[in-house]
Amino acid sequence: MSVKIFPALALLVGHALAVPSPSIKIGRASAQAFASTSDLAYKLSAVDAPVSGAGNPGSASQWSLRIDDTTAGYKQTITGFGGSVTDATVTVINALPSDQRSQLLRELLASDGANFSLLRHTIAASDLSGPPAYTYDDNSNNADPNLDNFDLGDRGEAMAELLTEMKGIRSDITIFGSPWSAPGWMKQNRVLTGDATDNWLDSQYYSQYAQYFVKYLQAYEGLGVTIDAITIQNEPLNNQGNGHVTMYQSADEATMVTQDYIGPALRAANLNTQIWAYDHNTDTPSYPQEVIDGAGEYVGATAWHCYASDLNWTVLSDFHNANPDKSQYMTECWTSPQTSWYQSSRNTIGPLQNWAEGSLMWTLGTWTEASDGTFGPYIEGGCSTCRGLFIVDQNAGTYEYTVDYYMLAQFSKYIPKGATILSGSGSYSYDGYSGIQSVASKNPDGTRTVVVENTFGNDIYLTLNTTGGEQWSGNLLANSVTTWILP
């Protein structure tokens, strides 16, 4: 890392006004650059492209990065980026007029839009569902050992139909599902919400729990959408009472249920659905390791969240070194007016630097902010201040994107499914997360993408050197994420 920092430098003036980002020209012989800034003066906007060579930094602060664009530097292959289709997302999308709704879905999924290619969906209720909480076999909370009363219900069908429509827009999208709880009658405490005591599976219903997944997958398939993967429990170490939908699941139980019940049940039903382990924070990597050690034949990946108090994405590199044949994904990170402008970029770039094959923020959509500072729809005890990547004004019948959407789209729009992440060096953040972080990819069309997050309050002149013998340089706007597309 070579750095010359002048923290007092103000945001330079004189840049061209932000303009909408044009479509990338595949095979283009010259470089391109696009940027989004914290104040949204730039939103995926075309900016001055990097130049070949050292350029002219003048008196600007300078930074150097290096990428290995030779085959020796090839790392993981990208599955995609996106967010979670919660009940809140379904509700707000379906509230839009048909023309706005169609436009929104295309902008989210198409290659000339955000190019999202990885989606998580909630299996029945989550904290971002309108009340009441529900599962696909509540049966008035009476035991249903044969699952005779399994029923997606109106909300489950609406979810499946929206996912089918989204897959119709983008056929290669990867979709995985996560439940917040088993039906209440399957749990020791016999309730879906309201009591954290004995809030875990009753062992006599392990077989029914496995068949619950089979029936859900088959029901969604019947409505036109194949679910590619599941996690068997969202945040298994998060055990809450009140109205929040949760269920505790220990690592040894998750291992046993995966190995002896869910894995075999999926296989017996001829379902090719992957199981991804864990779906929780980076501070307990022993949990997914135990699941892989005991049920690895059924587990294809590990899913991580961003909520560890001492968040350190290098845990994923350690985990990769121990399990090089297993994929990893960052599957949840909330966005809100309470989070920083770089919430989605920081929690995408960190996982990508450490072998993640994709990154998702929490809910795709919510309502606009209410007068009491809440968004929603949400369930009592759920996340009332979670804000979507887009927000819908129900009265106006319109939608708008948040800063979190634009920062995530700096990756998703320009690092396509099938791209290969490259080794790199030179990223560094000071205390308080001021600094430069970057990740690069080699794309299927032969181009290279370099995404750089600048969390300094001043412009930075960046020089990028490649192992292949090239040098590129150009300006990074203050408090921005900038994407370079190199030929």
Side-chain angles (χ1 to χ4, degrees), residues 78-82 115-118 329 357-360 412 415-417:
I78 290 296
T79 299
F81 308 89
N115 200 32
F116 287 164
S117 60
L118 177 62
Y329 298 92
E357 296 176 20
S359 179
L360 300 100
S412 63
I415 301 179
K417 181 183 283 285

Side-chain angles (χ1 to χ4, degrees), residues 146-199:
N146 296 320
L147 301 184
D148 293 327
N149 294 292
F150 181 94
D151 184 3
L152 295 182
D154 292 344
R155 287 190 277 182
E157 289 184 2
M159 171 72 72
E161 289 165 357
L162 177 58
L163 294 176
T164 298
E165 186 176 357
M166 297 173 93
K167 199 124 186 178
I169 296 170
R170 177 159 194 166
S171 61
D172 67 345
I173 199 166
T174 299
I175 301 174
F176 73 100
S178 302
W180 265 237
S181 177
W185 58 266
M186 289 189 190
K187 300 199 287 185
Q188 285 280 5
N189 61 11
R190 300 294 187 261
V191 294
L192 179 57
T193 65
D195 187 359
T197 304
D198 297 334
N199 186 34

Side-chain angles (χ1 to χ4, degrees), residues 36-40 42-43 335-337 339-345 387-389 401-409:
S36 297
T37 52
S38 62
D39 61 3
L40 296 184
Y42 292 75
K43 297 183 290 188
T335 54
S336 168
T339 57
S340 64
W341 68 264
Y342 47 75
Q343 176 78 343
S344 62
S345 59
R387 180 181 66 188
L389 299 180
Y401 295 117
T402 63
V403 65
D404 310 292
Y405 164 88
Y406 288 106
M407 299 307 163
L408 181 60

Side-chain angles (χ1 to χ4, degrees), residues 92-385:
V92 302
I93 286 178
N94 288 343
L96 287 167
S98 60
D99 59 335
Q100 290 282 294
R101 185 181 182 280
S102 297
Q103 178 178 296
L104 170 61
L105 291 177
R106 177 167 180 79
E107 289 173 352
L108 292 173
L109 301 171
S111 59
D112 57 354
N115 200 32
F116 287 164
S117 60
L118 177 62
L119 295 177
R120 182 190 193 209
H121 91 91
T122 53
I123 301 173
S126 72
D127 51 313
L128 287 183
S129 298
Y134 72 101
T135 71
Y136 297 153
D137 194 348
D138 290 317
N139 196 37
S140 301
N141 213 34
N142 296 311
D144 185 20
N146 296 320
L147 301 184
D148 293 327
N149 294 292
F150 181 94
D151 184 3
L152 295 182
D154 292 344
R155 287 190 277 182
E157 289 184 2
M159 171 72 72
E161 289 165 357
L162 177 58
L163 294 176
T164 298
E165 186 176 357
M166 297 173 93
K167 199 124 186 178
I169 296 170
R170 177 159 194 166
S171 61
D172 67 345
I173 199 166
T174 299
I175 301 174
F176 73 100
S178 302
W180 265 237
S181 177
W185 58 266
M186 289 189 190
K187 300 199 287 185
Q188 285 280 5
N189 61 11
R190 300 294 187 261
V191 294
L192 179 57
T193 65
D195 187 359
T197 304
D198 297 334
N199 186 34
W200 46 79
L201 283 169
D202 184 335
S203 60
Q204 70 175 304
Y205 293 122
Y206 284 163
S207 292
Q208 287 80 5
Y209 181 60
Q211 289 303 315
Y212 180 80
F213 284 103
V214 170
K215 283 184 170 287
Y216 137 70
L217 292 164
Q218 292 173 335
Y220 272 58
E221 183 80 39
L223 290 173
V225 61
T226 298
I227 303 301
D228 300 290
I230 58 169
T231 62
I232 67 171
Q233 176 58 44
N234 170 70
E235 298 186 347
L237 301 179
N238 179 11
N239 185 28
Q240 296 186 37
N242 300 317
H244 200 330
V245 187
T246 66
M247 186 175 78
Y248 179 82
Q249 189 168 69
S250 65
D252 61 334
E253 182 179 68
T255 302
M256 184 266 296
V257 168
T258 300
Q259 177 68 20
D260 297 340
Y261 294 91
I262 300 175
L266 297 183
R267 188 169 292 176
N270 294 315
L271 293 166
N272 295 320
T273 316
Q274 278 197 8
I275 297 174
W276 295 356
Y278 192 41
D279 217 6
H280 210 169
N281 296 338
T282 57
D283 52 5
T284 314
S286 59
Y287 188 118
Q289 188 63 63
E290 182 174 341
V291 176
I292 287 173
D293 289 344
E297 65 176 302
Y298 295 112
V299 175
T302 296
W304 305 96
H305 293 188
C306 76
Y307 307 120
S309 57
D310 186 19
L311 182 60
N312 182 0
W313 289 117
T314 62
V315 167
L316 277 66
S317 283
D318 294 338
F319 201 83
H320 169 79
N321 292 336
N323 306 278
D325 60 334
K326 302 299 182 184
S327 299
Q328 298 185 83
Y329 298 92
M330 201 293 288
T331 55
E332 185 185 314
C333 197
W334 82 308
T335 54
S336 168
Q338 298 175 20
T339 57
S340 64
W341 68 264
Y342 47 75
Q343 176 78 343
S344 62
S345 59
R346 178 181 187 177
N347 293 296
T348 296
I349 212 164
L352 292 183
Q353 290 169 340
N354 291 282
W355 293 94
E357 296 176 20
S359 179
L360 300 100
M361 295 304 107
W362 181 205
T363 188
L364 277 176
T366 59
W367 297 126
T368 53
E369 187 171 7
S371 58
D372 63 355
T374 63
F375 291 87
Y378 61 91
I379 211 155
E380 181 183 355
C383 185
S384 62
T385 55

